[in-house]
């Protein structure tokens, strides 16, 4: 009897340990300006697993950051951007599927989020299967955050407010797009990409290519 109880205790301890030690996944987003390293959230498993799958397949190799708005975000991942001629408008391509929304995390500077089609055609706010953006954003004030809260009927806690005020972000996107990761290195690279010269469609005049690989 004592042996059985001891065995059960070992099994229970093992299960608790395995549940509390989820693997943390990182990716490198390599560019001519340097490398941004991002952690992928385990709280958004569909987006995490899809991004890892595409990275393993080399899907993102030589794709462009095709839409850049300083103080807002830098967007890429359109497969039609690979080798695209100068001046061609991009942003409608994808792998042929969408991902169910996993909305929750805020859009602080450095947030890694999924692009999507807006409007009435996408009421479930499903994400593009490949296009993503990295939030550049700007520093917020209590007044601006109060306005977002009122407009979107959401509440920021003190920690979130302080982060938006200290490092910035794009809170106007909160609760509308899935944030599935965040930069842990390369904020200087993000700033450099955000500052490039663009055409009237926010496409860089000089291509900003990427390569996404899985990091340790």
């Amino acid at each position: 009897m004592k042996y059985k109880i001891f065995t059960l205790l070992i099994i229970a301890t093992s299960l608790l340990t395995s549940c509390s030690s989820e693997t943390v996944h990182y990716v490198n987003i390599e560019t001519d300006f340097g490398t941004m390293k991002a952690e992928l959230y385990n709280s958004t498993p569909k987006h995490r697993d899809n991004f890892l799958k595409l990275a393993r397949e080399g899907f993102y190799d030589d794709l462009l950051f095709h839409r850049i708005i300083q103080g807002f975000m830098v967007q890429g991942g359109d497969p039609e951007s690979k080798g695209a001629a100068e001046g061609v408008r991009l942003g409608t391509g994808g792998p042929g599927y969408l991902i169910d929304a996993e909305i929750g995390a805020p859009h602080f500077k450095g947030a890694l989020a999924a692009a999507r089609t807006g409007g009435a055609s996408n009421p479930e706010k499903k994400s593009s299967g490949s296009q993503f953006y990295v939030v550049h954003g700007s520093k917020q004030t209590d007044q601006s955050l109060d306005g977002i809260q009122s407009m979107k009927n959401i509440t920021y806690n003190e920690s979130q407010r302080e982060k938006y005020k200290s490092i910035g972000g794009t809170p106007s996107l909160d609760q509308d797009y899935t944030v599935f990761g965040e930069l842990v290195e390369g904020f200087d690279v993000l700033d450099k990409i955000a500052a490039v010269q663009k055409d009237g469609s926010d496409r860089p005049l000089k291509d900003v290519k990427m390569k996404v690989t899985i990091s340790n």
Side-chain angles (χ1 to χ4, degrees):
M1 184 66 177
K2 289 182 179 179
Y3 176 77
K4 289 182 178 179
I5 293 173
F6 182 69
T7 303
L8 288 172
L9 284 172
I10 292 176
I11 293 171
T13 302
S14 176
L15 287 171
L16 286 171
T17 302
S18 64
C19 289
S20 62
S21 59
E22 289 186 85
T23 301
V24 179
H25 298 275
Y26 296 94
V27 293
N28 287 326
I29 305 172
E30 302 171 28
T31 75
D32 291 336
F33 294 94
T35 299
M36 297 179 285
K37 183 176 181 178
E39 174 187 340
L40 304 183
Y41 294 155
N42 288 326
S43 58
T44 54
K46 294 176 183 178
H47 288 73
R48 176 201 63 200
D49 292 349
N50 179 68
F51 203 72
L52 290 171
K53 171 183 176 291
L54 295 180
R56 288 191 191 97
E57 294 172 351
F59 179 93
Y60 290 108
D61 293 2
D62 292 326
L63 300 191
L64 305 181
F65 280 103
H66 65 269
R67 182 174 177 238
I68 293 177
I69 304 175
Q70 190 170 26
F72 188 56
M73 57 89 224
V74 301
Q75 180 175 336
D78 179 353
E80 295 177 6
S81 69
K82 189 171 186 175
E86 181 180 338
V88 171
R89 296 193 67 171
L90 300 166
T92 60
Y97 59 84
L98 301 177
I99 307 172
D100 291 338
E102 296 175 298
I103 293 171
H107 285 74
F108 301 125
K109 182 177 181 179
L112 180 65
R116 69 173 180 84
T117 300
S121 64
N122 187 14
E124 297 177 337
K125 301 178 181 179
K126 292 187 176 183
S127 301
S128 164
S130 64
Q131 290 196 46
F132 67 93
Y133 58 92
V134 184
V135 174
H136 189 235
S138 58
K139 291 183 179 180
Q140 302 296 307
T141 65
D142 282 317
Q143 185 178 8
S144 66
L145 292 172
D146 287 344
I148 296 292
Q149 285 189 150
S150 178
M151 179 175 65
K152 296 201 166 192
N153 194 29
I154 59 179
T155 301
Y156 296 114
N157 60 40
E158 284 305 311
S159 176
Q160 291 169 332
R161 280 180 171 270
E162 287 306 312
K163 193 165 183 177
Y164 266 131
K165 290 190 290 183
S166 61
I167 72 167
T170 310
S172 60
L173 298 176
D174 287 348
Q175 299 303 311
D176 282 319
Y177 295 81
T178 297
V179 174
F180 62 94
E182 63 181 82
L183 295 190
V184 294
E185 295 176 14
F187 283 85
D188 58 326
V189 177
L190 173 61
D191 288 338
K192 291 174 185 177
I193 295 173
V196 301
Q197 292 185 304
K198 312 167 298 177
D199 63 19
S201 300
D202 294 317
R203 177 177 169 180
L205 296 180
K206 182 179 180 181
D207 287 347
V208 180
K209 294 183 179 180
M210 71 174 73
K211 179 178 182 180
V212 179
T213 57
I214 298 173
S215 175
N216 295 324

